[in-house]
Amino acid sequence: MPDTDVPWWSDGVLHVGSTTYPMPSEPEIAFRGGTTLVSFRKPVYRVIRGDGPLRPLPAGHPYASDPVISSDGTHVAWVETVASHPLPNVSGLSASRLDLLLVDYDLEGGRVSASLPQTADVECCEGDAVGVPQIQGYTDDGRLVLYDTDRNPPALWDPRQGTITVAEVGADGASMGGVPAWPGGIAYSGPDSSGPATLVRVDGSGHFSSTRQVPQASDGSWNEDGTIYAYDLYPEAVSFVGPDGGEPARLPLPESTDEWRIAAWESNDTLLLVSRRKRTNELARCDVVALTCEPVADVPAMGPLVLPQSG
């Protein structure tokens, strides 16, 4: 069994640290700050804090979409669909108005710490919804970054204060879908999530306090405190940008029969990589300060191996 605190699944068993959980179906896994989210039949999610019990995500309604974990792993947020109301058909497409609920859940307290009702008008299908709020992630001061499929200006919801701040950032066509959440504030890219990501800190009144860029918006992951950003340069390399920006550095990847992708951060300085194509199962642990990468021993050699997806 590989020596890592990053959760992984193989052969019907989920491993979180030294604890195992029977799980017959192959799950999707998210991991941040010591908290694990697993789903093998959306929208049903299970959550594990540390290596504690496997509990259902306590959504009050049956449709909870794409929950996100705070950087320190103490909170989870999601959007619930409460009800759907038909609207007059004026464009030839079916339309409805959704009653939604944004939820911030305190894992340590075991309670909903805040919720915020929202509405969204949808044409055709929920997957093509117009105006449905999406959660990009948590900031390091506990706010939630929200955006929608209208590409209206993003907003920051402060669950503790119950306030929403609209952030007038980005030119027309800026995109936040698929851009990894930055704990320092808002991250956005060009229209198709290609090219660099722009990072913006936003104060309580919506004004910018600082901004910079990282070279690649997609296929990346921030460490817990939001100071180092690692990203895939598939199929060539895995690179990262440190807290002071500057030129990206490439990690010295171990020789492999496969390419590598980012799995998860084990700590602020240590990154876990997994073989991309699954011809054989391989893991590597990289120290981004010492610029070293070493294979991780005792990995199941064959069969499905599931680790968290980066982002």
Side-chain angles (χ1 to χ4, degrees):
M1 186 170 68
D3 178 21
T4 178
D5 290 331
V6 172
W8 58 281
W9 177 95
S10 180
D11 197 24
V13 178
L14 176 70
H15 301 257
V16 181
S18 59
T19 305
T20 58
Y21 306 82
M23 192 167 290
S25 300
E26 182 174 318
E28 293 182 8
I29 303 173
F31 175 72
R32 202 151 181 83
T35 290
T36 305
L37 271 174
V38 293
S39 174
F40 50 89
R41 192 180 74 253
K42 288 184 178 181
V44 178
Y45 292 88
R46 301 288 186 267
V47 63
I48 304 165
R49 180 68 177 140
D51 58 358
L54 180 68
R55 302 183 185 279
L57 189 68
H61 301 88
Y63 299 104
S65 64
D66 300 325
V68 300
I69 310 169
S70 64
S71 291
D72 62 4
T74 60
H75 283 244
V76 178
W78 63 87
V79 181
E80 296 182 14
T81 300
V82 178
S84 178
H85 311 282
L87 292 177
N89 186 333
V90 296
S91 62
L93 299 173
S94 61
S96 61
R97 176 162 294 160
L98 300 181
D99 294 335
L100 306 168
L101 192 67
L102 304 180
V103 178
D104 174 58
Y105 189 83
D106 179 358
L107 289 170
E108 295 188 334
R111 62 182 181 87
V112 172
S113 57
S115 60
L116 181 70
Q118 298 277 282
T119 60
D121 291 347
V122 180
E123 287 187 347
C124 179
C125 328
E126 290 196 24
D128 298 324
V130 174
V132 174
Q134 310 287 322
I135 303 174
Q136 187 182 52
Y138 282 89
T139 63
D140 49 19
D141 61 3
R143 292 182 291 174
L144 283 153
V145 178
L146 310 176
Y147 68 99
D148 66 38
T149 48
D150 262 337
R151 292 180 178 168
N152 290 319
L156 291 100
W157 173 39
D158 189 334
R160 298 159 301 180
Q161 303 297 325
T163 57
I164 283 190
T165 303
V166 175
E168 297 287 348
V169 303
D172 290 344
S175 173
M176 295 175 65
V179 179
W182 174 48
I186 293 172
Y188 67 90
S189 69
D192 58 357
S193 299
S194 62
T198 299
L199 312 176
V200 178
R201 288 191 182 274
V202 182
D203 65 19
S205 62
H207 297 129
F208 306 170
S209 56
S210 66
T211 182
R212 68 184 181 101
Q213 288 189 329
V214 292
Q216 181 173 303
S218 59
D219 299 319
S221 180
W222 288 95
N223 67 347
E224 183 174 322
D225 64 11
T227 57
I228 302 176
Y229 179 71
Y231 57 99
D232 294 348
L233 285 170
Y234 175 75
E236 302 167 355
V238 175
S239 296
F240 70 93
V241 180
D244 300 322
E247 289 297 315
R250 289 194 176 190
L251 293 170
L253 302 178
E255 289 188 9
S256 171
T257 60
D258 206 341
E259 291 90 16
W260 298 93
R261 71 164 178 86
I262 297 166
W265 290 88
E266 288 188 306
S267 71
N268 270 321
D269 299 333
T270 308
L271 188 65
L272 195 69
L273 308 180
V274 62
S275 51
R276 180 182 290 271
R277 298 185 187 277
K278 300 184 180 179
R279 284 194 291 262
T280 58
N281 294 325
E282 297 177 273
L283 298 178
R285 178 177 290 112
C286 298
D287 186 320
V288 298
V289 175
L291 279 180
T292 58
C293 288
E294 300 292 339
V296 176
D298 300 324
V299 178
M302 302 298 290
L305 175 68
V306 180
L307 281 99
Q309 294 290 322
S310 61

